[in-house]
Amino acid sequence: GEQVEQRPPHLSVPEGDSAVIICTYTDSATAYFYWYKQEPGAGLQLLMSVFSNVDRKEEQGLTVLLNKKDKQLSLNLTAAHPGDSAVYFCAVSEAGNTRKLIFGLGTTLQVQP
Amino acid sequence: GPKVLQIPSHQIIDMGQMVTLNCDPVSNHLYFYWYKQILGQQMEFLVNFYNGKVMEKSKLFKDQFSVERPDGSYFTLKIQPTALEDSAVYFCASSVERANNERLFFGHGTKLSVL
C-alpha cells in the first residue's frame, strides 16, 4: 500500500527565515495531497490541499510544490514567524478513496524569535 | 471555523475495561472518521462511518472496536475490552458529503492510556 515519508522530523529556524518540509509518497496514482498544522492541544488544521494536476500552489505565505516525477510534495513557509511553531503533517489520499488519508510522521517546527 | 470536539482529552483505564471515546462532529457533516496515533508513529486510519454504517475499516479496527452515532448525538468509538496496545491518541474527524477532495475537520484528539 501507499507509504508516506516526511522529513525532517524536527526543524528550527530563526524568525524571518524560510522553512521547508518534504514528503515522499510511493503510489503514482495518488490524487490528493494535504498539509495540516497542529498546534499544542488543538486539532489538525488544514493548511492547503492540492489535486494531482497542480504543480505549485501559493496561499498566505505558504507554497506547496508537487513533483509527480519524483513523487515528492513540499511545504515552504516563507518568512516564518513564531506563530508558525507547530507540528506539520503531510497527508495523501488514495486515488478513488478521498476519505482515507495516509499521513506522514510529522515535522515539529520551532521558529525562534 | 467549524470545530470537532472530543471528550475527554485524556482517559486512563485499566486493561480489560471498556472505554468510550466521544466526538461531537461539525453539525452539518455526514461522514465521520477515527484515526489512531501511537506515540512516535504515523496517524493511521481506523474507520469511516456514514448513514449509520461503517463504510470502510482498516486492519487496526479490531473486533473489540465499535462505532456508532445514535440519533445524531456523539459519534463514539468503543473499545471492549481494552488492551495495552490500544494506548494511543485517537483523533475524530468529520466531513460533508462531496464528490471529490473532501475537507476533513479534525478534533484535538483523546489520549487513551491503558494500564
Side-chain angles (χ1 to χ4, degrees):
Chain A
E2 174 90 82
Q3 305 281 327
V4 176
E5 292 192 2
Q6 184 172 343
R7 65 178 195 274
H10 300 278
L11 182 58
S12 181
V13 301
E15 184 173 5
D17 275 20
S18 65
V20 179
I21 305 169
I22 295 173
C23 283
T24 55
Y25 59 97
T26 54
D27 187 349
S28 57
T30 299
Y32 291 97
F33 305 85
Y34 307 86
W35 283 101
Y36 284 87
K37 174 184 180 183
Q38 185 182 31
E39 293 174 278
L44 279 73
Q45 172 197 352
L46 180 65
L47 292 176
M48 259 205 274
S49 62
V50 297
F51 183 51
S52 58
N53 65 352
V54 171
D55 293 331
R56 180 187 181 100
K57 187 172 179 181
E58 292 185 47
E59 279 179 11
Q60 297 179 326
L62 302 174
T63 302
V64 170
L65 298 177
L66 179 61
N67 180 335
K68 290 183 284 292
K69 174 176 163 290
D70 294 334
K71 300 194 193 71
Q72 190 171 86
L73 174 75
S74 67
L75 175 69
N76 187 335
L77 291 83
T78 52
H81 56 85
D84 292 327
S85 296
V87 182
Y88 291 79
F89 294 92
C90 66
V92 305
S93 62
E94 296 177 347
N97 188 358
T98 58
R99 301 186 183 92
K100 180 179 173 182
L101 298 181
I102 298 152
F103 283 87
L105 263 174
T107 295
T108 301
L109 172 65
Q110 199 164 16
V111 181
Q112 297 153 345
Chain B
K3 287 194 190 308
V4 173
L5 301 176
Q6 288 188 242
I7 303 157
S9 299
H10 193 181
Q11 179 97 42
I12 302 172
I13 60 167
D14 291 323
M15 183 178 65
Q17 283 190 313
M18 181 196 76
V19 69
T20 300
L21 308 184
N22 297 298
C23 172
D24 188 9
V26 179
S27 60
N28 63 333
H29 285 187
L30 299 175
Y31 277 87
F32 312 107
Y33 314 78
W34 285 102
Y35 282 77
K36 176 183 179 181
Q37 186 180 32
I38 294 173
L39 185 65
Q41 297 184 23
Q42 283 159 302
M43 196 177 315
E44 292 189 90
F45 170 82
L46 278 178
V47 65
N48 64 28
F49 187 86
Y50 169 73
N51 198 26
K53 291 192 287 252
V54 170
M55 302 301 291
E56 184 179 2
K57 58 186 179 182
S58 72
K59 62 181 185 297
L60 296 180
F61 194 80
K62 306 181 296 184
D63 290 344
Q64 297 89 330
F65 287 30
S66 63
V67 290
E68 63 175 356
R69 193 186 186 213
D71 299 325
S73 60
Y74 286 148
F75 175 53
T76 62
L77 173 65
K78 185 187 292 186
I79 309 174
Q80 181 177 27
T82 50
L84 294 176
E85 61 265 27
D86 297 330
S87 295
V89 180
Y90 290 83
F91 291 91
C92 173
S94 68
S95 67
V96 295
E97 183 181 11
R98 201 158 64 191
N100 290 302
N101 197 19
E102 290 193 25
R103 177 176 175 172
L104 270 65
F105 289 81
F106 283 86
H108 53 69
T110 293
K111 184 177 179 182
L112 176 64
S113 299
V114 181
L115 307 178

